[in-house]
Amino acid sequence: MTAIPQERRVVTAIPGPKSVELQARRLAAVAAGVGSTLPVFTARAGGGIIEDVDGNRLIDFGSGIAVTSVGASAEAVVRRASAQLAEFTHTCFMVTPYEGYVEVCEQLAELTPGDHAKKSALFNSGAEAVENAVKIARAHTKRTAVVVFDHGYHGRTNLTMGMTAKNMPYKQGFGPFAPEVYRVPVAYGYRWPTGPENAGAEASAQAIDEITKQIGADNVAAIIIEPVLGEGGFIEPAKGFLPAIARFAKDHGIVFVADEIQSGFCRTGQWFACEDEGIVPDLITTAKGIAGGLPLSAVTGRAEIMDAAHAGGLGGTYGGNPVACAGALGAIETMRELDLNGKAKRIEEVMKGRLAEMRAKLPNGDIIGDIRGRGAMIAIELVRSGSKDPDPEAAGALAKACHAEGVLVLTCGTYGNVLRFLPPLVIGEDLLNEGLDVIEQAFGTL
C-alpha cells in the first residue's frame, strides 16, 4: 500500500464531478434517512488526509467521528486484520471461541481505570455496548431505573434513543421509547446560570436531589455519563461534578457507568477521559477508537458485576468478530508505540493556543463564546456577538467554508452551534496548523 502524501490538495470544486456522479447513484439506492456531512466520496485515507475519487486531498479533522485515532490505514491494524482475514473471518465466539477475543478483553482489563478484577464482553457498536451495560447493571442490582444527563448522547437504538437528550435528528418521529430512563442536569460550565466556578457543586447537588426525590436512589440500577459529553457539544463537566455523582452512586449501590465511546483510547490525552478526576467507574463502555475503524465495542467492568448476567444472556452473532479483534490489537499496539496520549496533549496545546489567538485578534472573534475540550477532542461554541445566544448558522457557515477549502470539520451541540475538532492522533503538526489556518480564513467569510 502506497502512503498517501500528507498534504492538502484541492484540484476540483468540492464535491468534484466524480463525487457528484456517485452522489446521484447514492440518492437512488441509499435510504434518505442516512445523512452525510459532506458528499465527497473517499478513495483512500491515512494519517491526517482523506483522498477523494476526484483526487482532492482533505485535511481530516473528523476521524470518522473519533474512530480512526491511529489513522484510517494504520500499519499494525492493516497487518493484523489482513493476517486474520486469511485465517478465518467468523466462527461466532458463542459457538467456537478464539484467542483474539480473549486477548482484547485482557488488554481492556489492563488499560481501563482501577486495579480490581475486571471482565469484558465484546459487541459491534457503541449503542450495543450501552444497551448491554444497562442489562448488566439491571441483572446485578435487580433494579430498573437508568439515570442519564442533559446534553448526553448514547446511540440510535430504541433504548439508547431514550437515553439520548437531543430530539432532532436522533429521536424525532421514532417513539415510543423504552421506559424507566430519567434525565438530570449536568455541569455545563459555559451555560451554568451562576457561572462555571459554581457549576460542579450546584449541578451535582441538583442532580442528586432530583434522583433522590423523583426516582428514589434504591430504584436506580445505573447512572450513565460521558466524561466529556460528545454530541451534546464537547462539554467537559465542571470540576467536582463527576466525583460527586460517582460517590453518590457508590453510597447507594448504583452501578456507575462511564460512556467512553467517543472520549476513550487516548482521545483526550489519557487512555480514558474519566481518569482526569481519578474516577474509577464500575463499568466502562468503549467503541469508536478501539479498533482502527473496524466495528467493535466493549463493556468492561468489575468482575462481580460483569458476571451478574446469566450464561447466554449476553452476546450477538458478530460480537467480537475475529477480524475486528485483530484490528483492535493493532490499534492498541500503535497507541502504545507512538505514545498517542502524548500526541493528543500536543494537539490540544496547538489547537487551544491557535483558537485563543483567533478569538483575540479576529474582528468577529467574540463569536467564539467558549474554547473547550481535552486532547484531540476540542471544540468552539459559537454565539451571536455580544451575547451567549447560540449561533448554529455561524457553525454551519464555517463548516461549509472549511469544506470548500479541503478541511473536513464536524458540527455538534444541543443547539447545533459547536464546531468540533477530532483529528487523527497521528496527524502531522504542519497539517494541523494548515487546517487551523483554513479555519481562521473561514471566519473572514462570515
Side-chain angles (χ1 to χ4, degrees):
M1 185 186 74
T2 17
I4 300 167
Q6 294 297 296
E7 54 195 36
R8 179 173 64 109
R9 181 174 77 168
V10 180
V11 292
T12 70
I14 292 181
K18 288 181 182 170
S19 278
V20 170
E21 200 178 299
L22 282 164
Q23 178 69 356
R25 285 171 54 193
R26 173 220 166 109
L27 291 174
V30 178
V34 183
S36 284
T37 298
L38 180 59
V40 157
F41 283 74
T42 307
R44 54 188 193 141
I49 291 287
I50 291 171
E51 186 172 290
D52 74 9
V53 289
D54 290 288
N56 297 300
R57 292 195 198 113
L58 284 71
I59 297 177
D60 182 11
F61 275 10
S63 298
I65 317 185
V67 169
T68 53
S69 300
V70 295
S73 47
E75 185 277 330
V77 174
V78 173
R79 168 170 42 82
R80 286 183 180 240
S82 300
Q84 179 57 52
L85 266 172
E87 298 300 331
F88 61 94
T89 59
H90 176 78
T91 65
C92 185
F93 190 77
M94 299 177 301
V95 178
T96 57
Y98 36 87
E99 188 181 359
Y101 187 118
V102 177
E103 203 177 336
V104 169
C105 294
E106 289 168 343
Q107 291 283 339
L108 286 165
E110 189 183 321
L111 292 171
T112 50
D115 51 13
H116 49 276
K118 293 178 215 156
K119 292 189 177 184
S120 294
L122 305 184
F123 306 97
N124 304 292
S125 69
E128 253 188 285
V130 172
E131 293 232 356
N132 279 281
V134 171
K135 284 166 62 174
I136 292 161
R138 284 174 169 166
H140 172 72
T141 60
K142 309 291 188 282
R143 304 170 181 176
T144 55
V146 175
V147 172
V148 291
F149 293 83
D150 286 341
H151 309 288
Y153 175 85
H154 299 286
R156 295 170 181 262
T157 55
N158 186 267
L159 174 59
T160 57
M161 275 193 295
M163 295 168 69
T164 290
K166 193 174 177 180
N167 175 55
M168 194 64 189
Y170 304 114
K171 302 161 78 164
Q172 177 65 33
F174 297 143
F177 304 112
E180 289 298 304
V181 174
Y182 301 88
R183 195 174 322 286
V184 296
V186 76
Y188 187 167
Y190 178 65
R191 295 198 171 275
W192 195 254
T194 58
E197 64 287 353
N198 301 317
E202 289 179 6
S204 55
Q206 207 176 315
I208 287 165
D209 185 60
E210 287 186 21
I211 295 167
T212 310
K213 305 281 193 305
Q214 296 180 29
I215 312 161
D218 295 345
N219 296 318
V220 180
I223 294 176
I224 304 184
I225 190 166
E226 303 158 273
V228 177
L229 284 77
E231 185 57 33
F234 282 26
I235 300 161
E236 197 179 345
K239 296 287 179 239
F241 180 82
L242 289 172
I245 300 292
R247 232 180 356 260
F248 172 77
K250 190 176 185 189
D251 290 347
H252 294 276
I254 298 165
V255 177
F256 183 83
V257 185
D259 177 342
E260 292 263 11
I261 287 159
Q262 189 162 168
S263 57
F265 289 101
C266 309
R267 178 50 62 183
T268 62
Q270 289 163 298
W271 279 100
F272 297 96
C274 59
E275 295 174 59
D276 187 63
E277 288 187 89
I279 306 286
V280 179
D282 298 312
L283 300 179
I284 187 163
T285 60
T286 53
K288 289 191 184 293
I290 193 172
L294 294 166
L296 187 70
S297 68
V299 183
T300 302
R302 297 183 183 279
E304 69 278 13
I305 298 177
M306 290 298 297
D307 281 344
H310 53 272
L314 304 177
T317 303
Y318 294 109
N321 170 271
V323 181
C325 286
L329 295 169
I332 291 167
E333 177 189 324
T334 306
M335 289 168 195
R336 290 182 195 274
E337 279 187 9
L338 300 182
D339 180 22
L340 292 193
N341 280 318
K343 290 263 199 312
K345 285 180 181 143
R346 177 61 187 151
I347 289 169
E348 175 182 353
E349 198 181 323
V350 171
M351 292 201 104
K352 280 191 169 172
R354 290 285 310 272
L355 292 165
E357 276 172 31
M358 286 179 216
R359 178 159 65 178
K361 77 179 189 193
L362 290 169
N364 56 351
D366 73 329
I367 73 165
I368 301 176
D370 197 22
I371 299 166
R372 58 176 179 250
R374 293 207 303 271
M377 190 173 180
I378 302 293
I380 51 175
E381 177 160 0
L382 299 163
V383 291
R384 300 191 201 288
S385 187
S387 76
K388 281 193 178 182
D389 296 343
D391 193 345
E393 292 78 19
L398 276 174
K400 197 175 174 187
C402 290
H403 295 162
E405 292 300 321
V407 176
L408 178 65
V409 294
L410 306 172
T411 58
C412 69
T414 299
Y415 312 106
N417 67 324
V418 176
L419 209 57
R420 58 174 157 174
F421 310 116
L422 292 161
L425 305 180
V426 295
I427 194 170
E429 209 161 302
D430 52 343
L431 271 188
L432 185 64
N433 273 303
E434 190 179 345
L436 287 158
D437 291 343
V438 170
I439 291 163
E440 189 168 335
Q441 287 155 18
F443 272 92
T445 68
L446 293 182

